[in-house]
Amino acid sequence: VSMKEILKKYWGYDSFRPKQQEIITEALAGEDVLAILPTGGGKSICFQVPGMMKEGITIVVSPLISLINDQVQNLRARGIKALAIHSGMTFREIDIALDNAKYGDFKFLYLSPERLRSKLFIARLQQMNVAYLVIDEAHCISQWGYDFRPDYLLIAEIRKYIPEVPVIALTATATPVVADDIMSKLNFGKKNLICSGFERPNLSYKVCKCEDKFGKLLSLCNDIQGTGIVYVRERKTTKDVALFLCSAGVDADFYHAGLSKEERTDKQNRWKSGALRVIVATNAFGMGIDKPDVRLVIHYNMPDSLEAYFQEAGRAGRDGKAAYAVMLYNKQDVRTLCRRVPETYPDLEYIRKTYENVSYFLQVGVGEAFGQTFYFPMESFCRIFRQFPVQTNSALHLLNNAGYIEYHEEREFKSALHFILKKEELYRIYETDADSDLVIQTILRTYPGVFANFVYIEETNLARQTGLSAERIYHILKDLHHHRIIDFIPHKNTPVVCYTMARVETDSVNLPPSVYEERKMDFQKRIDEISEYVTSVEKCRSRMLLSYFGEKDIADCGQCDVCLARKKAHAANHDDVRH
């Protein structure tokens, strides 16, 4: 079966988009390939088509659960067998999924990078017939990329278990330096980069210098019809901006990573379906969301890099129709952005002091705690030791990257419960209503060992089995806890610190240049580049972005604010000459 027949059969398209066929041909020839395609350029087709053509299962590493779930649902809707493994699953469910990947006729297995370190996964991987290893959002593996994630470095490790399996790496944004680093980190046999170009002729880039951002935001939302995204830096601002827009008659809501999973899903679905017009969000929103008809993306605050800006702005106009990417800024924004460098890279003494204070706080002595994990209530810590949360967070990330600790800003801990009453006492002592009885029976059937120890549970899993809402189940479990039937620890998102080596003397904490000095210089360079982008009134916006990504011989776009101002001035000069 040819690649075009597969494309038509499962996706209904008659032809490929630019570069897709070239990437698929390389993959089918067994070559490692890095594909750089613009946001909305059809990256998933590049691995899903060869995955359907080759015998075996394709393993896809992706950073976001929402992204993974979306892709799996889309494949299943097309009649393609796909699986996902994520943190919301029980050990038993993961075990079954891996068995299906090994023995079933599934074509795709999606998982997040931290899953790669699981011994269970590595053991099963070696027994699977793997067709391809796919790395989505591949810029996350490069320490020169704007969104480096240490977990992505695990990918190269698992290649040694499947040495013959080709890698397909995909991203929307990578400078030449980042592209080389991705191929190096993934142990490519030889360099093999296919890039479709970064130009978006239907997208008009605008930069507006304004003191009254609310006023400008409102006029943009009123002037440009259709769906929009407003990106802001802080969670609190999402709500403030959304409330302002609503009060001015714009249909808007807010979104950030601190909301519950249910709230995030609901808001995202309302926006995707068109029931909600404008979403005001932090950068937690948008990755992997396939909504082609976004007409307007506004940056209310300046992002940290041109890569982040380009990726977020690129969510506008994926349908090829006219769309606008607008950055709002004032002098204060540039000053605030410049402060990000010392906040993100505090001096070494501050980092050492943070390491020492964290160890005091967690009561860890020198030579202790190797491999131990601790909850880390950031607010309490900062209050006691009079440290600022932003710099503390940065210091912990740097200690993480240097290998002293593993630090997660928000690790999700599942709910856990343990039956206090013995099985035979359960119904003799406590009269249950029908819903509580159903929940108890489902727990006993689903989670063995609940009378002996605490067992992790998933409210959404119980909701699926009982037909009750997750919220109703939560209240039933709280009630059972109140009546001393069970011990119940509700799920929570909390920062976590794990000592990856025993605590060392504070003076011996050192950060290698690749973790600190080089990355600090790189970060400063990025801040300078985006500051130049917003303050420049001479160069075409599109041209500045394209040259940043290494493109040569670029023409002016003719439609950004700089090009339009130049046309206007040119026309005015002609009028003056005529008169």
Side-chain angles (χ1 to χ4, degrees), residues 159-183:
R159 284 205 79 177
K160 65 187 179 199
Y161 299 110
I162 44 171
E164 303 302 314
V165 173
V167 162
I168 306 172
L170 308 123
T171 182
T173 47
T175 62
V177 170
V178 169
D180 281 348
D181 197 34
I182 291 168
M183 291 185 280

Side-chain angles (χ1 to χ4, degrees), residues 303-320:
D304 286 349
S305 69
L306 284 174
E307 286 112 312
Y309 176 67
F310 186 79
Q311 184 150 34
E312 288 158 12
R315 289 174 186 141
R318 291 186 184 184
D319 54 7

Side-chain angles (χ1 to χ4, degrees), residues 222-236:
N222 288 333
D223 292 347
I224 299 165
Q225 295 309 301
T227 309
I229 308 172
V230 180
Y231 281 109
V232 302
R233 184 176 286 284
E234 292 175 352
R235 291 178 180 182
K236 181 184 177 297

Side-chain angles (χ1 to χ4, degrees), residues 523-565:
F523 190 59
Q524 179 68 63
K525 187 162 159 275
R526 272 190 224 171
I527 299 285
D528 293 343
E529 278 153 348
I530 197 152
S531 299
E532 188 197 342
Y533 176 81
V534 298
T535 53
S536 169
V537 290
E538 300 295 323
K539 297 178 193 163
C540 162
R541 304 284 175 205
S542 177
R543 203 167 171 168
M544 287 178 82
L545 288 167
L546 296 177
S547 64
Y548 178 77
F549 288 107
E551 296 214 359
K552 309 268 192 298
D553 308 321
I554 317 144
D556 287 355
C557 72
Q559 59 186 8
C560 70
D561 59 297
V562 173
C563 287
L564 292 175

